[in-house]
Amino acid sequence: MRVMAIIIGVMLVVLGVAYGVLFTQTGNDFVRPHLEKKATQALGKKVDIREFSLRFSSLKAVLKVDESATLEVQGTFNLFDQRFAINYDVQAQGLETPVMVIQEKLTVVGEAKGFVHDFVAQGMGKAFGSDIAYEVTFKEKLLSAAQVEAKDLDVGQILELLGQSRLAEGKVSVEAHTAESGTLVGKVTLSNGVVNAVKVQEQYGVVLPPKVMYAGELHAILRGEELEAKGALVSSLAEVRFPKILANTQTQVWSALVDVIVPNLALLEPLAGMPLAGDLTLKASLEGEKEAVRAEVSTASLGGLTTAFYEDDVLDVSMENGSLEEVLTRLAKPRYSQGALHVKAKFTDASQASRKGTVAFRVANGVPNSAEIRELFGVELPAKMTYEAKMDAKLAGESVDFVSEVMSSVGTLQTTQGKADLKTGTLNTQYQLHVEELLALKPLIKQALHGSFEMNGEAGVNEQGARATGVTEVLGGKSSFVFENEQLDAQLVDVVFERLSALLDVPYVFESVGNATLTYNVPKDAGVFQATFPQGRLIESELTRMVQTVTGFNLTQELYENTTLKGKILPNSVIFDLLMKAKRSQLSVSQGTLGRENEQLRVPFDILVEKKDLSGIIEGKMQNPRVSIKASQYIQKKLDKEIEKHVPDEAKGLVRDLLKLF
């Protein structure tokens, strides 16, 4: 049609000027430069008239347009009634139009006949890799009837004609005709389409599945300047339907309703650069005027209603009662949790690298999926755990400032002064953690702890991974923690043993303040620890009373110096050694054990009191263990003396044999 318009335009210009010149060769030569100038101005392209012969009732001319197209016209016309009948032949290659540059050779042969203001033009030829044929009727210089047909045009060649790479192959057919009402009815059909994924990646850096196939159809009606259309494009990735398209060819105002159906998001993983799953359905309303675009998109696929509105490079996004489970499913993540999502976001300069915006994110009625988390991570969450979460963020380019708060049935986590870089993926924030009762975390940490807990610190993520620091005074002095490379390192300063006893819910048996270190590997669930208590005294307990009964010595009067406790943390138990020394006594433990799950304590000990040795074992539940003392050389000697004093000679052997049983 564009080529036809150029042809007809040239003919009209030539005919319009020719009325005022003489019909002689001398006159023809005189007027040729003026015709070239007028034609060049009318077409906006350089026109060179190579041959021009105008007689009273005939015309013959050969024109070159931009050195890319040759037009030969020859025919008759009547000067008085402006009737004409002209044959034309167009041979073009590299022809530039307002829409594209036609690199391929184009051939059109046809005729135009009628009057200057009312005529019929028809033709046929070769273009875009296919045969084309058309017939158009103009009345008062306006299109009144048309019949255009082009079948199986090559999509790849059309892309090349447009100066693009062959990003796709396939066939496109075009049919158009005028109805009785004067409207132009058209149909465009795409078939056997295949996207060249390799070239798309090379040119745009977008990764597509290896073989994306497509087909489509568009039906259109043109009434004067008003265009109405509908159609669909179906590919192996998605189906895009156009229930209604409206456009004004003069004002370039247009609108469209669009439905997008993606049956399997996993096929879009290469394009999105992230795992996806499930289906997705979108509805969109688009409007535009020249370069200005307005769009409104909505979906119910994520639960509730999610909408996005774009205009003047401002994007507003809203989600009401979205399903956290559905979002996790679309992101190909296990359904870690249930919850209702509420999101409000607004971005200015949305298409620019300098975009700015705000985001308000809320999770209501959150309930973790304990079974899913147990299966994936091997950890147990507190029973009937619930939570609420919120985050407010400000975006400036690739930089994000944010604050957040997670309020759960076991504690609260707040972040402040949070900063993230979307380009590098780094994140850093200050945080405050409060746990109302540590015992609720026993299923998670595999250790029964008691009391409330407060800690604050800094957490972040960079190219090396996650890192966090923390400071707490739960044990008396300031204890600090560093988590990095999946390892926790702790420095416990001025630990008050009484607070440690309360934290572990064990009997308070030692009055002291000391320091400790801890190294714990999270994936291996294993670590080592060591504690030193410069000075301390034993508190009266079952152990001290039994020792005093046997030896007459009161251990609580001793001052123990440089007491050391060291051990290993294993997935199911803690193994430790203890050494306590004072001036007149010493207590040691070798390979004591504590079950992390069952809290069973087994502590074999040795006590030396003024050269009197005792041994025994402490075992049972950590909160209320039993103490027993075994026979030692000191006790054996004391019993022998008593037997010698008080047992008759004939019974001494029997008594000694009975004692061996114990």
Side-chain angles (χ1 to χ4, degrees), residues 321-504:
N321 289 314
S323 169
L324 181 55
E325 286 184 299
E326 293 295 340
V327 172
L328 290 171
T329 296
R330 299 309 184 279
L331 296 175
K333 301 293 184 184
R335 295 192 169 199
Y336 300 124
S337 176
Q338 303 173 20
L341 293 179
H342 302 271
V343 179
K344 293 287 186 184
K346 184 172 185 177
F347 304 96
T348 57
D349 298 327
S351 63
Q352 309 298 319
S354 59
R355 59 186 174 275
K356 296 180 180 180
T358 59
V359 178
F361 175 87
R362 304 289 185 268
V363 179
N365 305 318
V367 180
N369 188 330
S370 299
E372 194 76 54
I373 292 175
R374 184 192 312 116
E375 181 178 347
L376 289 168
F377 303 110
V379 298
E380 192 76 39
L381 292 181
K384 299 181 180 180
M385 182 177 174
T386 61
Y387 70 93
E388 307 271 331
K390 62 181 182 179
M391 182 187 72
D392 294 296
K394 291 183 178 181
L395 175 72
E398 301 291 344
S399 178
V400 180
D401 294 332
F402 67 92
V403 296
S404 67
E405 183 176 20
V406 179
M407 300 155 287
S408 76
S409 53
V410 296
T412 301
L413 175 64
Q414 294 179 316
T415 68
T416 58
Q417 303 178 41
K419 291 187 177 296
D421 190 301
L422 300 178
K423 185 175 182 179
T424 63
T426 58
L427 178 149
N428 196 72
T429 183
Q430 305 290 322
Y431 73 88
Q432 298 84 40
L433 173 64
H434 169 75
V435 179
E436 191 67 30
E437 176 49 64
L438 285 167
L439 186 60
L441 298 179
K442 179 183 176 182
L444 180 62
I445 63 177
K446 298 181 181 180
Q447 179 70 53
L449 301 177
H450 297 263
S452 62
F453 181 76
E454 303 277 351
M455 184 166 69
N456 59 74
E458 185 175 315
V461 177
N462 55 31
E463 58 273 10
Q464 280 78 42
R467 186 179 190 277
T469 64
V471 176
T472 180
E473 297 182 5
V474 68
L475 296 177
K478 285 191 175 181
S479 298
S480 60
F481 302 84
V482 176
F483 175 79
E484 192 171 19
N485 298 324
E486 298 184 319
Q487 179 171 297
L488 176 67
D489 292 297
Q491 297 285 337
L492 312 180
V493 179
D494 294 336
V495 176
V496 178
F497 201 91
E498 182 177 7
R499 291 198 179 186
L500 180 61
S501 300
L503 180 69
L504 298 173

Side-chain angles (χ1 to χ4, degrees), residues 235-239 260-268 277-281:
S235 75
S236 53
L237 299 180
E239 179 179 355
V260 180
I261 302 169
V262 185
N264 186 4
L265 284 169
L267 297 175
L268 299 181
D279 60 355
L280 184 67
T281 300

Side-chain angles (χ1 to χ4, degrees), residues 135 137 143-148 176-185:
E135 180 177 314
T137 300
L143 180 67
S144 66
Q147 181 74 39
V148 180
H177 67 277
T178 51
E180 293 181 0
S181 59
T183 60
L184 182 64
V185 179

Side-chain angles (χ1 to χ4, degrees), residues 209-260:
K211 192 173 183 180
V212 178
M213 305 179 70
Y214 68 91
E217 194 169 272
L218 181 71
H219 297 266
I221 298 176
L222 180 64
R223 296 183 179 91
E225 299 171 353
E226 301 296 331
L227 173 70
E228 183 175 346
K230 64 180 180 178
L233 179 65
V234 181
S235 75
S236 53
L237 299 180
E239 179 179 355
V240 183
R241 300 173 183 170
F242 303 93
K244 191 172 186 179
I245 301 173
L246 300 175
N248 185 293
T249 57
Q250 183 174 4
T251 63
Q252 299 185 37
V253 175
W254 60 271
S255 65
L257 298 178
V258 185
D259 296 334
V260 180

Side-chain angles (χ1 to χ4, degrees), residues 4-41:
M4 180 195 70
I6 293 174
I7 296 167
I8 294 171
V10 171
M11 290 190 297
L12 291 175
V13 170
V14 171
L15 289 173
V17 177
Y19 291 123
V21 300
L22 296 174
F23 301 104
T24 64
Q25 190 59 47
T26 303
N28 293 165
D29 293 339
F30 173 78
V31 82
R32 182 187 297 178
H34 300 282
L35 289 174
E36 288 179 341
K37 182 178 180 181
K38 289 286 186 181
T40 298
Q41 292 174 347

